[in-house]
Amino acid sequence: MADDEPQPLNYVQETVLKKRKSNEEWVIKKRERLAERKKSKESLKPAIKRPEEFVKEYRDKELDFVRMKQRLNLRKSSNGAIKSKLLFVIRIHGSKDMHPRTRQILNKLRLRHILSGVFLKANEANLRMLLTVEPFITYGYPTLKSVRELVYKKGCGNIEKERTPLTDNNVVEQALGKYGIICLEDVVHEIATVGSHFKEVTSFLWPFKLKCPERRLRMKKRLYKEGGDSGNREDNINELIDKLN
């Protein structure tokens, strides 16, 4: 009978199967990370500090606040001192001697962790924030090559408040398609040219997680132009991006 004849199997492309497998693996890894994070939070115990440690910590934070005001008074930020509309900012120090105001600004810049990086437009408001938190960050003028390598190698999107790797252009199109940005190369172009939708693109991108090199960098809070590592290193930021990418 005709009904007993075997029906042909539905053909599924190999790329679709690979994509399904990668998505399943990513979901499993995500669940494992959430479980480990929950377990680590439960295992944390309040540390006991001596009174002198509290005093030193308070003095260090107040000193950071005083120096912050001195920087703002002595070196007023201005667009004339910046040679590019685009900046890449990297956090290089922790919060051991950080004033709460400094931490607040770093959080506003989305630089919550050491060796995290973000693209910023070089406007007056951003330059003032960078000057305020200068000992804890370094920044400069990324080239098109650096922008492309960061987006393609380290790029992740903020999808429903979750860090999602940009594995294909569909993720970009779903989030930014309404702005005419449908692929990774469009993202690179919008950032490199500081286009009209720069804010939407950079808000969609998760802060870049840079790797620590084999020989750990000893970042000094002294300004880069004075022999340290913080502050504006202009075009030399691209050398640091190559080391950390």
Side-chain angles (χ1 to χ4, degrees), residues 27-57:
V27 170
I28 294 173
K29 289 180 180 179
K30 179 182 174 182
R31 289 176 181 172
E32 292 176 350
R33 287 197 302 268
L34 290 175
E36 291 177 0
R37 191 182 307 171
K38 184 177 180 181
K39 185 178 179 181
S40 62
K41 286 183 179 180
E42 293 175 351
S43 62
L44 290 177
K45 296 181 180 180
I48 300 175
K49 291 187 177 181
R50 297 180 179 180
E52 55 267 26
E53 292 178 348
F54 280 106
V55 173
K56 184 179 184 304
E57 183 177 341

Side-chain angles (χ1 to χ4, degrees), residues 24-191:
E24 291 173 358
E25 292 176 351
W26 182 81
V27 170
I28 294 173
K29 289 180 180 179
K30 179 182 174 182
R31 289 176 181 172
E32 292 176 350
R33 287 197 302 268
L34 290 175
E36 291 177 0
R37 191 182 307 171
K38 184 177 180 181
K39 185 178 179 181
S40 62
K41 286 183 179 180
E42 293 175 351
S43 62
L44 290 177
K45 296 181 180 180
I48 300 175
K49 291 187 177 181
R50 297 180 179 180
E52 55 267 26
E53 292 178 348
F54 280 106
V55 173
K56 184 179 184 304
E57 183 177 341
Y58 175 78
R59 287 177 177 174
D60 290 340
K61 291 180 179 179
E62 288 303 307
L63 182 60
D64 176 51
F65 183 68
V66 171
R67 288 173 175 170
M68 177 198 306
K69 293 193 293 185
Q70 290 176 343
R71 288 194 299 273
L72 290 173
N73 291 332
L74 293 176
R75 292 185 283 118
K76 299 293 183 181
S77 63
S78 64
N79 289 332
I82 297 296
K83 303 175 184 178
S84 173
K85 295 181 181 180
L86 177 65
L87 300 174
F88 187 70
V89 188
I90 303 172
R91 179 170 173 178
I92 59 174
H93 280 291
S95 57
K96 185 177 180 181
D97 55 351
M98 184 185 296
H99 191 271
R101 174 61 177 163
T102 305
R103 183 182 293 106
Q104 181 182 6
I105 294 174
L106 286 171
N107 289 342
K108 188 173 182 179
L109 293 170
R110 302 191 300 154
L111 296 172
R112 294 180 175 84
H113 306 285
I114 298 175
L115 293 183
S116 59
V118 294
F119 291 107
L120 284 182
K121 184 185 293 186
N123 56 33
E124 185 65 29
N126 287 335
L127 292 175
R128 184 174 178 84
M129 285 194 290
L130 295 181
L131 183 60
T132 302
V133 299
E134 197 171 46
F136 301 91
I137 58 153
T138 187
Y139 58 95
Y141 318 137
T143 61
L144 176 60
K145 176 178 176 290
S146 294
V147 174
R148 180 175 285 111
E149 289 184 351
L150 283 167
V151 171
Y152 276 86
K153 292 182 180 180
K154 302 286 186 180
C156 291
N158 188 346
I159 305 296
E160 297 180 356
K161 297 183 179 180
E162 292 290 340
R163 184 173 180 267
T164 306
L166 301 180
T167 54
D168 58 46
N169 293 326
N170 291 330
V171 178
V172 176
E173 186 174 4
Q174 290 175 7
L176 302 172
K178 57 186 175 182
Y179 305 116
I181 300 169
I182 61 174
C183 63
L184 287 174
E185 196 58 34
D186 288 344
V187 171
V188 172
H189 179 267
E190 191 70 18
I191 293 174

Side-chain angles (χ1 to χ4, degrees), residues 13 16 40 46 81 143 161 172 185 187 192 203 211 222 230 242:
Q13 293 183 359
V16 175
S40 62
T143 61
K161 297 183 179 180
V172 176
E185 196 58 34
V187 171
S203 297
K211 69 178 182 180
R222 186 184 303 174
S230 68
D242 287 339

